[in-house]
Amino acid sequence: MQERSVDVAIIGAGTAGLNAMSQARKAGKSFVLINGGEPGTTCARVGCMPSKAMIQVAEDYHRRTHLGRYGIDGHEGLSLDVPEALEHVQEMRDTFVDRVLGSSTDDMPEELFLQDYARFIEPTLIEVGEQRIRAAAVVIAAGSRPLVPEPWQAFGERLLTTDTLFELEDLPSSIAVIGLGTIGLELGQSLHRLGVAVEGFDQLETIAGIRDPEVNRAAIELMGKEFALHLGQAATIEEDGDGLRVQAGEHQARVDAVLCSIGRVPNLDGLGLEQLGVPLDARGLPAFDRHSMQVGELPVFIAGDVTAERPVLHEAGDEGRIAGFNAVQAASGAEPLRFQRRTPLFINFSDPNICAVGARFDALDPETTAIGEIKMAPVGRALIMGRNRGVIRVYAAKRTGRVLGAELIAPRGENLAHLLSWSIQQGMTVEQMLRMPFYHPVIEEALQGALNDLNRKLEVERDGPLTELALLGDGDSGASR
Ligand SMILES: Cc1cc2nc3c(=O)[nH]c(=O)nc-3n(C[C@H](O)[C@H](O)[C@H](O)COP(=O)(O)OP(=O)(O)OC[C@H]3O[C@@H](n4cnc5c(N)ncnc54)[C@H](O)[C@@H]3O)c2cc1C
Ligand SMILES: NC(=O)c1ccc[n+]([C@@H]2O[C@H](COP(=O)([O-])OP(=O)(O)OC[C@H]3O[C@@H](n4cnc5c(N)ncnc54)[C@H](O)[C@@H]3O)[C@@H](O)[C@H]2O)c1
């Protein structure tokens, strides 16, 4: 068997792996990129981008249901050509995949880009097809895939996942969405808005991974107005003629197809991680340092969805950069460096958006935490937009006023969540946030309302007579303010 040596071997050409590769390339190290499965990244091929393209079409079409209120005639006559809409989603996806490939692997020589599955023989020896790669350092960035219980695989094409949904030329008339986490909620709502009869199922009493009970209540109420949600019972599937019968507790539904969105499994099997010689947890994952991405003391680094820690794109990118940088360090005989991580930020692109930022509700100490809240109903701009639904909840340390986290369901929540995460990462207090400019009338005034409510509940020493405005200091001309 042929064996060759490189400085860095990267397993997986997704977002994490490509970012790791950039680090090796920048440092002038020799490397190989190894990718089993389709290249083009999960995000562009079957993840973020096609799902957001589908959500956009669904949201635009759904908007017709509001138009009558403004006296816009003819909205009842609007119709959707589903095959054409799906073709558009596929075209968008192809554009994003081409962009990724064009800027990464398209022009890579065959000896640098190996298109096959990799397997560890030793911590620094990898087998790929008929060859072995001896690497001074290795990055594992093998991603994840949809979880489908084995018995459900027998349902064939009627059992859809995000790997197959965006390939369809037409949509089924009815569908059961099993699993109402991020994927199930985003796509369940979109499919409903595209005209499919949708029933949603989750074994939990929460949806979209929400932890704050008030936000969960609002989300269930809002989403439940669009399609039926059956919560609190695991769903099972049986054959029913040409269709499928889904059962959860007492409820049964006969549907043409099922979207299985019950989570994703890290691609750990087949990697031969037992050859690393370090303990593996129940999932088969070795312990690693989330600031250096190093596995134990080995010259092996791990990044992206394969860790299942923060399975979102910008974190996969960061982890790939850290792992790649430290693989270069290890290959140069230097110690790995530890990097700060960003404030956690999760956005579910359902309408309204559901977002979580910073510390989660279930990790808060009720004794020392204050919670500010605003319901979207009276918020001026939201009312004008016809989207005054939802609730924002912001958490802060009672005695210091430092903002800790937030959870919300709100229109343009994606933007509010960014403001919050940037402020939390800056270590800002409620008062400091309230001293930032808020224009009128904007959705950000809802956040201002939640912060005002929170401010009233704090036990902090007040810095000046006006919450919203700091006093001018000695020698401060105020010219820049
Ligand atoms: C439907 C959906 C929607 C999403 N929407 C969003 C969103 O809106 N925003 C967001 O931030 N995130 C979103 N995500 C999550 C985001 O797509 C992922 O966090 C990100 O793509 C993970 O990148 P990665 O590099 O870890 O994995 P991947 O891109 O999956 O790359 C891993 C690669 O490794 C390969 N591989 C596996 N095993 C081996 C092996 N043994 N040898 C060699 N190669 C191997 C795989 O084939 C794959 O090509 C979404 C995900 C899905 C599924
Ligand atoms: N907007 C985004 O950032 C975005 C969008 C899509 C996906 N993603 C990423 O993809 C990952 C995977 O998403 P996901 O939605 O597949 O997983 P998830 O873990 O978020 O949700 C899975 C849900 O399925 C439920 N479930 C499991 N088995 C069940 C059964 N038999 N019957 C009923 N319910 C069952 C679980 O209770 C859970 O609520 C997410 O963690 C997320 O990071 C992100």
Side-chain angles (χ1 to χ4, degrees):
M1 187 172 280
Q2 190 199 344
E3 182 173 322
R4 63 190 171 108
S5 296
V6 293
D7 293 318
V8 180
I10 299 148
I11 303 173
T15 304
L18 293 177
N19 276 283
M21 179 175 76
S22 302
Q23 293 299 317
R25 190 177 261 158
K26 200 166 86 181
K29 294 289 178 193
S30 62
F31 64 85
V32 284
L33 178 67
I34 309 158
N35 191 67
E38 286 285 310
T41 76
T42 289
C43 172
R45 276 190 323 106
V46 290
C48 330
M49 305 317 267
S51 62
K52 262 79 267 175
M54 185 176 267
I55 288 170
Q56 189 64 50
V57 175
E59 219 172 289
D60 287 348
Y61 184 51
H62 179 73
R63 195 70 196 147
R64 79 193 184 289
T65 61
H66 291 252
L67 300 180
R69 289 193 210 159
Y70 316 144
I72 299 176
D73 285 338
H75 60 279
E76 309 90 340
L78 288 177
S79 63
L80 180 72
D81 184 325
V82 173
E84 214 174 296
L86 295 177
E87 211 177 299
H88 165 76
V89 170
Q90 286 155 11
E91 278 168 18
M92 296 292 283
R93 176 207 52 202
D94 293 346
T95 302
F96 290 114
V97 170
D98 286 349
R99 266 192 209 170
V100 169
L101 295 176
S103 63
S104 59
T105 52
D106 264 358
D107 296 326
M108 274 172 71
E110 262 177 40
E111 66 274 16
L112 293 195
F113 183 38
L114 312 180
Q115 299 203 49
D116 206 339
Y117 288 90
R119 188 167 69 86
F120 281 92
I121 305 297
E122 296 168 18
T124 55
L125 184 65
I126 293 160
E127 193 167 282
V128 189
E130 290 304 302
Q131 55 177 312
R132 285 188 170 184
I133 310 285
R134 173 71 65 184
V138 182
V139 174
I140 306 167
S144 64
R145 61 179 186 276
L147 169 63
V148 181
E150 220 216 290
W152 292 7
Q153 286 165 17
F155 301 124
E157 288 179 357
R158 290 165 301 172
L159 201 283
L160 295 163
T161 67
T162 46
D163 280 357
T164 51
L165 177 71
F166 306 115
E167 295 294 327
L168 295 181
E169 288 174 7
D170 203 351
L171 292 175
S173 311
S174 60
I175 198 163
V177 176
I178 304 187
L180 296 170
T182 317
I183 291 178
L185 205 64
E186 282 186 355
L187 293 174
Q189 185 182 42
S190 293
L191 290 168
H192 156 75
R193 290 179 170 191
L194 293 172
V196 180
V198 177
E199 295 211 34
F201 295 83
D202 202 292
Q203 62 195 6
L204 302 178
E205 297 284 357
T206 56
I207 56 172
I210 298 173
R211 312 262 178 92
D212 186 314
E214 295 303 321
V215 179
N216 190 50
R217 214 185 325 275
I220 289 174
E221 191 192 324
L222 287 173
M223 295 299 151
K225 280 185 186 155
E226 294 203 40
F227 61 101
L229 307 177
H230 308 286
L231 303 178
Q233 306 267 6
T236 56
I237 315 175
E238 278 171 30
E239 292 275 356
D240 188 348
D242 293 345
L244 296 172
R245 178 161 300 277
V246 175
Q247 173 127 24
E250 297 294 295
H251 183 76
Q252 285 197 4
R254 191 188 180 281
V255 287
D256 293 338
V258 165
L259 175 65
C260 176
S261 46
I262 60 172
R264 293 179 63 86
V265 257
N267 291 322
L268 291 167
D269 39 349
L271 271 172
L273 294 186
E274 57 287 351
Q275 305 301 331
L276 295 179
V278 293
L280 304 178
D281 69 13
R283 297 166 297 172
L285 187 69
F288 65 95
D289 175 349
R290 56 190 301 280
H291 298 282
S292 68
M293 306 316 290
Q294 187 175 18
V295 174
E297 300 290 312
L298 298 171
V300 175
F301 303 86
I302 192 162
D305 280 14
V306 73
T307 73
E309 220 198 34
R310 290 188 187 182
V312 289
L313 183 96
H314 66 282
E315 298 283 358
D318 281 354
E319 292 177 2
R321 275 183 280 276
I322 297 173
F325 178 87
N326 279 330
V328 168
Q329 290 284 101
S332 315
E335 284 298 308
L337 301 184
R338 301 183 80 233
F339 292 85
Q340 287 181 22
R341 299 298 300 268
R342 298 179 210 244
T343 295
L345 168 62
F346 300 101
I347 297 171
N348 182 313
F349 292 91
S350 56
D351 174 24
N353 300 155
I354 298 172
C355 310
V357 185
R360 303 300 301 264
F361 181 85
D362 51 349
L364 301 172
D365 176 356
E367 288 296 308
T368 59
T369 310
I371 300 180
E373 178 182 305
I374 189 165
K375 296 209 162 55
M376 296 304 293
V379 176
R381 185 60 184 275
L383 193 57
I384 289 166
M385 289 160 66
R387 292 183 161 169
N388 57 328
R389 304 172 304 162
V391 60
I392 301 175
R393 305 247 297 166
V394 185
Y395 321 129
K398 242 186 230 172
R399 287 182 197 94
T400 62
R402 195 167 164 151
V403 184
L404 302 173
E407 214 168 81
L408 56 96
I409 174 166
R412 301 204 178 147
E414 61 178 273
N415 304 115
L416 302 177
H418 273 84
L419 275 187
L420 277 156
S421 64
W422 292 17
S423 305
I424 293 170
Q425 193 163 312
Q426 294 289 322
M428 290 173 80
T429 62
V430 174
E431 189 174 60
Q432 284 168 337
M433 281 190 76
L434 281 168
R435 286 178 179 179
M436 293 293 137
F438 288 90
Y439 212 79
H440 175 71
V442 292
I443 284 292
E444 285 71 9
E445 286 175 308
L447 176 57
Q448 189 181 30
L451 290 169
N452 273 321
D453 183 47
L454 181 53
N455 190 44
R456 285 190 284 274
K457 295 169 178 165
L458 297 177
E459 294 163 9
V460 292
E461 222 169 276
R462 303 291 164 178
D463 173 26
L466 299 183
T467 300
E468 297 82 1
L469 298 164
L471 280 171
L472 207 56
D474 290 344
D476 184 350
S477 70
S480 64
R481 311 235 175 122

